[in-house]
Amino acid sequence: MLYFFAVIDWRSVWTNGLWIVGTAVLLATFSYTYWLSRTTPHKWAALYQQRPFDRLFWVGFLLVLLGLVFTSSRWWETAVWLLFTTWAIFNLITALRSSK
């Protein structure tokens, strides 16, 4: 048998998958708001601060930060990423509670 389940490091797949999915969410959010700003009379900054887009930004940013927390190898890197993750969670909760 050439390949076995022990060959794949599943922890690495899942932790790196977090920041990859987060980056995809950020890219899709930026791309869609840019396209929408070009096809409607609204400004990009005004669209980006509206309801679904601000939440999508913080969700994507949080996924990227969680991926960085789980892939960091030094204690101080983990501490820095946890600090930023706490900040992103706070901003996501604030965006979810706001009723724009």
Side-chain angles (χ1 to χ4, degrees), residues 11-32:
R11 180 186 179 275
S12 178
V13 169
W14 287 106
T15 56
N16 284 307
L18 283 172
W19 69 262
I20 292 170
V21 169
T23 305
V25 169
L26 286 174
L27 180 63
T29 304
F30 280 129
S31 177
Y32 185 68

PDB file of all heavy atoms in Angstrom, residues 11-32:
ATOM      1  N   ARG A  11      -3.920  17.617  11.190  1.00  0.00           N
ATOM      2  CA  ARG A  11      -3.914  18.853  11.985  1.00  0.00           C
ATOM      3  C   ARG A  11      -3.427  20.015  11.126  1.00  0.00           C
ATOM      4  O   ARG A  11      -3.994  21.106  11.151  1.00  0.00           O
ATOM      5  CB  ARG A  11      -3.039  18.690  13.222  1.00  0.00           C
ATOM      6  CG  ARG A  11      -3.003  19.943  14.076  1.00  0.00           C
ATOM      7  CD  ARG A  11      -1.992  19.811  15.228  1.00  0.00           C
ATOM      8  NE  ARG A  11      -1.953  21.006  16.028  1.00  0.00           N
ATOM      9  CZ  ARG A  11      -1.215  22.080  15.764  1.00  0.00           C
ATOM     10  NH1 ARG A  11      -0.447  22.092  14.695  1.00  0.00           N
ATOM     11  NH2 ARG A  11      -1.236  23.126  16.544  1.00  0.00           N
ATOM     12  N   SER A  12      -2.405  19.781  10.365  1.00  0.00           N
ATOM     13  CA  SER A  12      -1.867  20.824   9.491  1.00  0.00           C
ATOM     14  C   SER A  12      -2.866  21.190   8.390  1.00  0.00           C
ATOM     15  O   SER A  12      -3.000  22.370   8.031  1.00  0.00           O
ATOM     16  CB  SER A  12      -0.557  20.351   8.874  1.00  0.00           C
ATOM     17  OG  SER A  12      -0.040  21.312   8.002  1.00  0.00           O
ATOM     18  N   VAL A  13      -3.573  20.210   7.873  1.00  0.00           N
ATOM     19  CA  VAL A  13      -4.571  20.478   6.837  1.00  0.00           C
ATOM     20  C   VAL A  13      -5.668  21.375   7.391  1.00  0.00           C
ATOM     21  O   VAL A  13      -6.068  22.362   6.763  1.00  0.00           O
ATOM     22  CB  VAL A  13      -5.156  19.155   6.296  1.00  0.00           C
ATOM     23  CG1 VAL A  13      -6.370  19.412   5.416  1.00  0.00           C
ATOM     24  CG2 VAL A  13      -4.106  18.379   5.522  1.00  0.00           C
ATOM     25  N   TRP A  14      -6.190  21.063   8.574  1.00  0.00           N
ATOM     26  CA  TRP A  14      -7.284  21.849   9.157  1.00  0.00           C
ATOM     27  C   TRP A  14      -6.826  23.235   9.580  1.00  0.00           C
ATOM     28  O   TRP A  14      -7.535  24.223   9.363  1.00  0.00           O
ATOM     29  CB  TRP A  14      -7.919  21.123  10.335  1.00  0.00           C
ATOM     30  CG  TRP A  14      -8.742  19.964   9.885  1.00  0.00           C
ATOM     31  CD1 TRP A  14      -8.423  18.643   9.998  1.00  0.00           C
ATOM     32  CD2 TRP A  14      -9.991  20.006   9.201  1.00  0.00           C
ATOM     33  NE1 TRP A  14      -9.401  17.877   9.441  1.00  0.00           N
ATOM     34  CE2 TRP A  14     -10.375  18.682   8.944  1.00  0.00           C
ATOM     35  CE3 TRP A  14     -10.812  21.037   8.781  1.00  0.00           C
ATOM     36  CZ2 TRP A  14     -11.561  18.374   8.292  1.00  0.00           C
ATOM     37  CZ3 TRP A  14     -11.997  20.717   8.132  1.00  0.00           C
ATOM     38  CH2 TRP A  14     -12.361  19.402   7.893  1.00  0.00           C
ATOM     39  N   THR A  15      -5.656  23.342  10.209  1.00  0.00           N
ATOM     40  CA  THR A  15      -5.207  24.656  10.668  1.00  0.00           C
ATOM     41  C   THR A  15      -4.847  25.566   9.497  1.00  0.00           C
ATOM     42  O   THR A  15      -5.155  26.765   9.531  1.00  0.00           O
ATOM     43  CB  THR A  15      -4.014  24.533  11.624  1.00  0.00           C
ATOM     44  OG1 THR A  15      -2.962  23.810  10.987  1.00  0.00           O
ATOM     45  CG2 THR A  15      -4.407  23.822  12.895  1.00  0.00           C
ATOM     46  N   ASN A  16      -4.225  25.030   8.482  1.00  0.00           N
ATOM     47  CA  ASN A  16      -3.937  25.848   7.309  1.00  0.00           C
ATOM     48  C   ASN A  16      -5.196  26.119   6.500  1.00  0.00           C
ATOM     49  O   ASN A  16      -5.294  27.143   5.820  1.00  0.00           O
ATOM     50  CB  ASN A  16      -2.876  25.189   6.433  1.00  0.00           C
ATOM     51  CG  ASN A  16      -1.503  25.331   7.032  1.00  0.00           C
ATOM     52  OD1 ASN A  16      -1.077  26.430   7.361  1.00  0.00           O
ATOM     53  ND2 ASN A  16      -0.814  24.218   7.205  1.00  0.00           N
ATOM     54  N   GLY A  17      -6.159  25.217   6.587  1.00  0.00           N
ATOM     55  CA  GLY A  17      -7.437  25.445   5.922  1.00  0.00           C
ATOM     56  C   GLY A  17      -8.180  26.645   6.488  1.00  0.00           C
ATOM     57  O   GLY A  17      -8.910  27.329   5.770  1.00  0.00           O
ATOM     58  N   LEU A  18      -7.987  26.929   7.785  1.00  0.00           N
ATOM     59  CA  LEU A  18      -8.650  28.082   8.406  1.00  0.00           C
ATOM     60  C   LEU A  18      -8.228  29.387   7.745  1.00  0.00           C
ATOM     61  O   LEU A  18      -9.066  30.200   7.354  1.00  0.00           O
ATOM     62  CB  LEU A  18      -8.341  28.134   9.897  1.00  0.00           C
ATOM     63  CG  LEU A  18      -9.087  27.163  10.786  1.00  0.00           C
ATOM     64  CD1 LEU A  18      -8.526  27.217  12.208  1.00  0.00           C
ATOM     65  CD2 LEU A  18     -10.557  27.487  10.791  1.00  0.00           C
ATOM     66  N   TRP A  19      -6.924  29.616   7.629  1.00  0.00           N
ATOM     67  CA  TRP A  19      -6.503  30.891   7.065  1.00  0.00           C
ATOM     68  C   TRP A  19      -6.740  30.950   5.557  1.00  0.00           C
ATOM     69  O   TRP A  19      -6.956  32.024   4.993  1.00  0.00           O
ATOM     70  CB  TRP A  19      -5.063  31.242   7.431  1.00  0.00           C
ATOM     71  CG  TRP A  19      -3.992  30.417   6.814  1.00  0.00           C
ATOM     72  CD1 TRP A  19      -3.343  29.358   7.371  1.00  0.00           C
ATOM     73  CD2 TRP A  19      -3.407  30.603   5.518  1.00  0.00           C
ATOM     74  NE1 TRP A  19      -2.415  28.865   6.495  1.00  0.00           N
ATOM     75  CE2 TRP A  19      -2.421  29.611   5.359  1.00  0.00           C
ATOM     76  CE3 TRP A  19      -3.622  31.500   4.499  1.00  0.00           C
ATOM     77  CZ2 TRP A  19      -1.663  29.496   4.206  1.00  0.00           C
ATOM     78  CZ3 TRP A  19      -2.866  31.393   3.343  1.00  0.00           C
ATOM     79  CH2 TRP A  19      -1.893  30.393   3.210  1.00  0.00           C
ATOM     80  N   ILE A  20      -6.755  29.790   4.896  1.00  0.00           N
ATOM     81  CA  ILE A  20      -7.042  29.787   3.462  1.00  0.00           C
ATOM     82  C   ILE A  20      -8.504  30.153   3.208  1.00  0.00           C
ATOM     83  O   ILE A  20      -8.817  30.971   2.334  1.00  0.00           O
ATOM     84  CB  ILE A  20      -6.677  28.423   2.843  1.00  0.00           C
ATOM     85  CG1 ILE A  20      -5.156  28.241   2.861  1.00  0.00           C
ATOM     86  CG2 ILE A  20      -7.212  28.298   1.426  1.00  0.00           C
ATOM     87  CD1 ILE A  20      -4.689  26.854   2.509  1.00  0.00           C
ATOM     88  N   VAL A  21      -9.419  29.578   3.978  1.00  0.00           N
ATOM     89  CA  VAL A  21     -10.837  29.908   3.840  1.00  0.00           C
ATOM     90  C   VAL A  21     -11.073  31.371   4.231  1.00  0.00           C
ATOM     91  O   VAL A  21     -11.843  32.087   3.589  1.00  0.00           O
ATOM     92  CB  VAL A  21     -11.706  28.946   4.677  1.00  0.00           C
ATOM     93  CG1 VAL A  21     -13.142  29.423   4.767  1.00  0.00           C
ATOM     94  CG2 VAL A  21     -11.654  27.555   4.091  1.00  0.00           C
ATOM     95  N   GLY A  22     -10.409  31.831   5.297  1.00  0.00           N
ATOM     96  CA  GLY A  22     -10.541  33.227   5.704  1.00  0.00           C
ATOM     97  C   GLY A  22     -10.066  34.190   4.631  1.00  0.00           C
ATOM     98  O   GLY A  22     -10.712  35.222   4.370  1.00  0.00           O
ATOM     99  N   THR A  23      -8.967  33.859   3.986  1.00  0.00           N
ATOM    100  CA  THR A  23      -8.467  34.702   2.899  1.00  0.00           C
ATOM    101  C   THR A  23      -9.433  34.696   1.720  1.00  0.00           C
ATOM    102  O   THR A  23      -9.654  35.736   1.075  1.00  0.00           O
ATOM    103  CB  THR A  23      -7.076  34.216   2.456  1.00  0.00           C
ATOM    104  OG1 THR A  23      -6.214  34.177   3.592  1.00  0.00           O
ATOM    105  CG2 THR A  23      -6.479  35.122   1.409  1.00  0.00           C
ATOM    106  N   ALA A  24     -10.044  33.549   1.452  1.00  0.00           N
ATOM    107  CA  ALA A  24     -11.028  33.473   0.366  1.00  0.00           C
ATOM    108  C   ALA A  24     -12.257  34.326   0.691  1.00  0.00           C
ATOM    109  O   ALA A  24     -12.795  35.005  -0.195  1.00  0.00           O
ATOM    110  CB  ALA A  24     -11.435  32.023   0.132  1.00  0.00           C
ATOM    111  N   VAL A  25     -12.698  34.322   1.938  1.00  0.00           N
ATOM    112  CA  VAL A  25     -13.846  35.148   2.344  1.00  0.00           C
ATOM    113  C   VAL A  25     -13.496  36.630   2.202  1.00  0.00           C
ATOM    114  O   VAL A  25     -14.299  37.420   1.703  1.00  0.00           O
ATOM    115  CB  VAL A  25     -14.283  34.808   3.786  1.00  0.00           C
ATOM    116  CG1 VAL A  25     -15.279  35.823   4.323  1.00  0.00           C
ATOM    117  CG2 VAL A  25     -14.873  33.416   3.842  1.00  0.00           C
ATOM    118  N   LEU A  26     -12.305  37.014   2.641  1.00  0.00           N
ATOM    119  CA  LEU A  26     -11.884  38.411   2.503  1.00  0.00           C
ATOM    120  C   LEU A  26     -11.806  38.830   1.044  1.00  0.00           C
ATOM    121  O   LEU A  26     -12.277  39.919   0.671  1.00  0.00           O
ATOM    122  CB  LEU A  26     -10.531  38.622   3.181  1.00  0.00           C
ATOM    123  CG  LEU A  26     -10.522  38.646   4.692  1.00  0.00           C
ATOM    124  CD1 LEU A  26      -9.080  38.709   5.202  1.00  0.00           C
ATOM    125  CD2 LEU A  26     -11.305  39.829   5.210  1.00  0.00           C
ATOM    126  N   LEU A  27     -11.217  37.998   0.222  1.00  0.00           N
ATOM    127  CA  LEU A  27     -11.089  38.320  -1.200  1.00  0.00           C
ATOM    128  C   LEU A  27     -12.462  38.424  -1.864  1.00  0.00           C
ATOM    129  O   LEU A  27     -12.705  39.348  -2.655  1.00  0.00           O
ATOM    130  CB  LEU A  27     -10.238  37.273  -1.908  1.00  0.00           C
ATOM    131  CG  LEU A  27     -10.025  37.470  -3.403  1.00  0.00           C
ATOM    132  CD1 LEU A  27      -9.272  38.764  -3.654  1.00  0.00           C
ATOM    133  CD2 LEU A  27      -9.277  36.301  -3.991  1.00  0.00           C
ATOM    134  N   ALA A  28     -13.355  37.513  -1.554  1.00  0.00           N
ATOM    135  CA  ALA A  28     -14.700  37.569  -2.135  1.00  0.00           C
ATOM    136  C   ALA A  28     -15.441  38.817  -1.670  1.00  0.00           C
ATOM    137  O   ALA A  28     -16.152  39.450  -2.462  1.00  0.00           O
ATOM    138  CB  ALA A  28     -15.472  36.310  -1.751  1.00  0.00           C
ATOM    139  N   THR A  29     -15.285  39.173  -0.400  1.00  0.00           N
ATOM    140  CA  THR A  29     -15.957  40.373   0.115  1.00  0.00           C
ATOM    141  C   THR A  29     -15.425  41.632  -0.550  1.00  0.00           C
ATOM    142  O   THR A  29     -16.200  42.488  -0.996  1.00  0.00           O
ATOM    143  CB  THR A  29     -15.774  40.463   1.640  1.00  0.00           C
ATOM    144  OG1 THR A  29     -16.251  39.264   2.231  1.00  0.00           O
ATOM    145  CG2 THR A  29     -16.523  41.641   2.216  1.00  0.00           C
ATOM    146  N   PHE A  30     -14.111  41.750  -0.626  1.00  0.00           N
ATOM    147  CA  PHE A  30     -13.519  42.912  -1.295  1.00  0.00           C
ATOM    148  C   PHE A  30     -13.928  42.965  -2.770  1.00  0.00           C
ATOM    149  O   PHE A  30     -14.275  44.028  -3.288  1.00  0.00           O
ATOM    150  CB  PHE A  30     -12.000  42.885  -1.198  1.00  0.00           C
ATOM    151  CG  PHE A  30     -11.470  43.353   0.110  1.00  0.00           C
ATOM    152  CD1 PHE A  30     -10.562  42.584   0.811  1.00  0.00           C
ATOM    153  CD2 PHE A  30     -11.848  44.567   0.649  1.00  0.00           C
ATOM    154  CE1 PHE A  30     -10.062  43.007   2.024  1.00  0.00           C
ATOM    155  CE2 PHE A  30     -11.355  45.004   1.861  1.00  0.00           C
ATOM    156  CZ  PHE A  30     -10.458  44.219   2.544  1.00  0.00           C
ATOM    157  N   SER A  31     -13.882  41.840  -3.430  1.00  0.00           N
ATOM    158  CA  SER A  31     -14.192  41.801  -4.851  1.00  0.00           C
ATOM    159  C   SER A  31     -15.646  42.169  -5.118  1.00  0.00           C
ATOM    160  O   SER A  31     -15.940  42.953  -6.030  1.00  0.00           O
ATOM    161  CB  SER A  31     -13.906  40.399  -5.395  1.00  0.00           C
ATOM    162  OG  SER A  31     -14.256  40.300  -6.741  1.00  0.00           O
ATOM    163  N   TYR A  32     -16.555  41.619  -4.330  1.00  0.00           N
ATOM    164  CA  TYR A  32     -17.969  41.903  -4.565  1.00  0.00           C
ATOM    165  C   TYR A  32     -18.322  43.357  -4.248  1.00  0.00           C
ATOM    166  O   TYR A  32     -19.074  43.984  -4.993  1.00  0.00           O
ATOM    167  CB  TYR A  32     -18.842  40.964  -3.735  1.00  0.00           C
ATOM    168  CG  TYR A  32     -20.315  41.124  -4.035  1.00  0.00           C
ATOM    169  CD1 TYR A  32     -20.831  40.741  -5.267  1.00  0.00           C
ATOM    170  CD2 TYR A  32     -21.176  41.681  -3.107  1.00  0.00           C
ATOM    171  CE1 TYR A  32     -22.167  40.901  -5.568  1.00  0.00           C
ATOM    172  CE2 TYR A  32     -22.518  41.842  -3.394  1.00  0.00           C
ATOM    173  CZ  TYR A  32     -23.008  41.450  -4.622  1.00  0.00           C
ATOM    174  OH  TYR A  32     -24.333  41.621  -4.913  1.00  0.00           O
TER     175      TYR A  32
END
